[in-house]
Amino acid sequence: ITLIVPWAAGGGTDAVARQIASMLERDLKQPVNVVNRTGGSGVVGHQAIASAAPDVYTFGLITLEINLMHWVGLTDLTYEKFTPIALVNQDPAAIHVKADAPYKNVKELFAHIKANPNKVVASGTGQGGSWHVALAGLMQADGISPTSIRWVPSTGAATALTDLAAGGVDFVACSMPEAEALIKAGRIRSLVFFSPKRAPNFPDVPTTEEATGHKFHKGVWRGFAAPKGLPPEIAKQYETAIKKAWDSDEFKEFMTRRGFDMIYLDAAKYGEFMKADDEDNGKALKSLGLAK
């Protein structure tokens, strides 16, 4: 069996894929080979999964980018070209400020943005990337134009957080695990967590609903999928095996150690999740003027 990963070896998505692959090998008593198909900002690997024969031999670990790439004109590929199997992870976004920033909560930050359009500087990822889109969605929900801040594109959260700690930007949108080291060092503070429940490792950070009144939840996610047209009995076999792995202490310990947030959705709910996520991302990218 081939498990295609659209991202490079050594990254978070690759790590999740290899952990599950090793567990599936033991359960299914079949070799599961992880193949990294990188390139095109995720297009190459996602297309390789979608283009494979819909049989028992090929599936993949797809990510949030499948619901971003087509909106910005990188590909015609959408979530509809896959057979959903199971969602296994979602890392919610969060907003972080410097430890000595004047904002006590996200409402004060948003009020400052409204009072000073185009003066507040933020970062966290590339233009139109996952954290930029998540931030735009919450700003829209609060009645703020996402273009009223200055977004500084970065190569990733680590770069943006270093800039934040040094005072180069006013705030950063990214996940809690990415910011954990600087939070624990007392150099930055987190104002809001884009999830329906508080983060176990950061129980003092309010959820979006608690902080803003908006039921807006957004983050990066990873889920297993196969080419469209996979026979239902094979899809069910994969779903059952992945749920067994997800439920295990081994997988829970792995996810906790890596700082990944665990979530499970079965095939039907995962399909509904991708549809809603795609619609949300389209609205956010249109508000940013980035949708083609």
Side-chain angles (χ1 to χ4, degrees), residues 67-246:
N67 285 342
L68 294 175
M69 299 183 295
H70 71 96
W71 287 110
V72 297
L74 290 177
T75 179
D76 293 331
L77 192 65
T78 73
Y79 72 92
E80 295 174 298
K81 299 296 183 183
F82 298 89
T83 298
I85 296 173
L87 182 72
V88 297
N89 156 248
Q90 184 176 29
D91 292 321
I95 291 176
H96 315 279
V97 296
K98 201 175 175 186
D100 60 359
Y103 326 108
K104 296 184 184 69
N105 52 56
V106 73
K107 276 292 192 183
E108 290 187 3
L109 172 62
F110 281 0
H112 181 69
I113 291 170
K114 287 178 181 176
N116 298 274
N118 302 313
K119 291 183 180 178
V120 179
V121 182
S123 188
T125 185
Q127 187 88 347
S130 55
W131 305 131
H132 193 193
V133 168
L135 173 65
L138 185 59
M139 290 178 68
Q140 271 189 304
D142 209 58
I144 310 170
S145 169
T147 58
S148 65
I149 60 166
R150 289 161 51 202
W151 183 264
V152 177
S154 70
T155 54
T159 306
L161 289 163
T162 300
D163 287 346
L164 175 65
V169 298
D170 295 303
F171 72 97
V172 162
C174 71
S175 72
M176 298 298 290
E178 289 170 317
E180 185 170 9
L182 286 174
I183 295 170
K184 288 184 173 177
R187 299 183 67 190
I188 66 174
R189 288 185 289 115
S190 304
L191 300 183
V192 63
F193 186 54
F194 291 44
S195 171
K197 62 182 191 295
R198 293 194 180 200
N201 294 347
F202 302 94
D204 295 333
V205 181
T207 66
T208 40
E209 190 170 2
E210 290 169 335
T212 68
H214 307 301
K215 292 182 180 180
F216 182 82
H217 314 131
K218 183 65 70 175
V220 298
W221 54 262
R222 300 175 176 100
F224 289 93
K228 189 174 182 179
L230 186 72
E233 64 275 13
I234 296 174
K236 189 63 181 177
Q237 186 179 2
Y238 271 129
E239 183 182 344
T240 300
I242 288 167
K243 181 63 163 68
K244 182 179 176 182
W246 191 92

